[in-house]
């Protein structure tokens, strides 16, 4: 299997989460209302497990599910380092999983989590109580991506302003579930040590090689800001958050 994350991705992601107090911001109040201390919670598409570690403080057990062995390896290192006892890591591709059912399902920025009938039906079958699904909302994120692509004259990509949230809501409601949909804006700025690291972050995020380094470096002031002495690459996400109950 091809590794989804780059070698630098975890370090960048962890710093951004710490800076923005993620996932407490923006999901904390919603998650605490949804999850009880005795619940088993599935974090589907958990990635590096920042959310799984957060969920472990709210529930009896977390099933941290992802297809990427590298991401799960990084999570297991944090589980051991932080001495967390209630997270089980599971490598697999949703919805082809062999594991126990759960009370609450969490799927945050997993864009293929519930994008067809099979996946939605499996989600309903394995979930006893309810869950939270977060996808890209109706507005494109505000970040460096479009400006850099235009400057480098990269092929135009098709950007989805809504990652199937309305489809998923319709399928869940059709099955008799109660669904709430909320649009949530969320700043997920990336702290960097200097402009050179900002360039490296942009190259990493856009999967570009070093031939573009100089062009981006010459315009790096356009993609960064200084906030209280911290250099940031600003990113603002617009999320569609579905909360469902059986």
């Amino acid at each position: 299997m091809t590794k989804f994350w780059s070698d630098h991705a975890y370090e960048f992601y962890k710093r951004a989460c710490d800076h923005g107090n993620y996932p407490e911001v923006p999901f904390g109040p919603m998650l605490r209302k949804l999850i009880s201390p005795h619940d088993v919670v599935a974090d589907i598409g958990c990635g590096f497990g920042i959310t799984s570690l957060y969920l472990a403080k709210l529930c009896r057990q977390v099933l941290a599910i992802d297809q990427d062995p590298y991401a799960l390896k990084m999570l297991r290192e944090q589980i051991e380092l932080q001495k967390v006892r209630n997270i089980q890591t599971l490598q697999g591709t949703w919805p082809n999983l062999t594991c126990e059912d759960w009370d609450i399902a969490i799927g945050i920025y997993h864009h293929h989590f519930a994008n067809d009938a099979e996946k939605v039906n499996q989600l309903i079958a394995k979930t006893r109580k309810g869950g939270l699904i977060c996808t890209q909302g109706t507005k494109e994120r505000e970040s460096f991506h479009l400006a850099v692509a235009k400057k480098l004259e990269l092929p135009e990509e098709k950007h989805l302003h809504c990652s199937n949230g309305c489809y998923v809501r319709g399928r869940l409601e059709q099955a008799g579930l109660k669904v709430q949909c909320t649009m949530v804006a969320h700043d997920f700025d990336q702290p960097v040590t200097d402009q050179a690291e900002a360039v490296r972050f942009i190259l990493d995020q856009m999967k570009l090689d070093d031939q573009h380094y100089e062009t981006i470096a010459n315009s790096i002031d356009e993609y960064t800001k200084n906030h209280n002495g911290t250099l940031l690459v600003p990113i603002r996400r617009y999320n569609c958050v579905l909360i469902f109950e059986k």
Side-chain angles (χ1 to χ4, degrees), residues 25-54:
V25 179
F27 302 115
M30 290 178 275
L31 292 171
R32 285 192 295 276
K33 185 176 180 180
L34 184 65
I35 297 169
S36 300
H38 60 273
D39 283 337
V40 175
V41 178
D43 185 8
I44 302 172
C46 66
F48 293 124
I50 300 294
T51 300
S52 298
L53 292 163
Y54 178 90

Side-chain angles (χ1 to χ4, degrees), residues 198-213:
V199 177
R200 286 295 173 195
F201 171 72
I202 292 172
L203 290 171
D204 188 73
Q205 285 284 293
M206 298 189 68
K207 297 179 171 58
L208 299 172
D209 56 40
D210 282 350
Q211 68 172 313
H212 300 296
Y213 183 98

Side-chain angles (χ1 to χ4, degrees), residues 214-241:
E214 185 176 352
T215 301
I216 295 174
N218 289 338
S219 305
I220 197 62
D221 286 341
E222 299 175 24
Y223 316 127
T224 56
K225 69 177 182 181
N226 193 299
H227 180 71
N228 294 333
T230 300
L231 188 64
L232 301 171
V233 180
I235 300 172
R236 185 168 179 80
R237 294 170 167 173
Y238 296 90
N239 308 307
C240 171
V241 179

Side-chain angles (χ1 to χ4, degrees), residues 161-173:
H161 298 307
C162 182
S163 299
N164 250 8
C166 296
Y167 170 82
V168 178
R169 178 176 183 172
R171 295 289 306 192
L172 293 173
E173 289 180 333

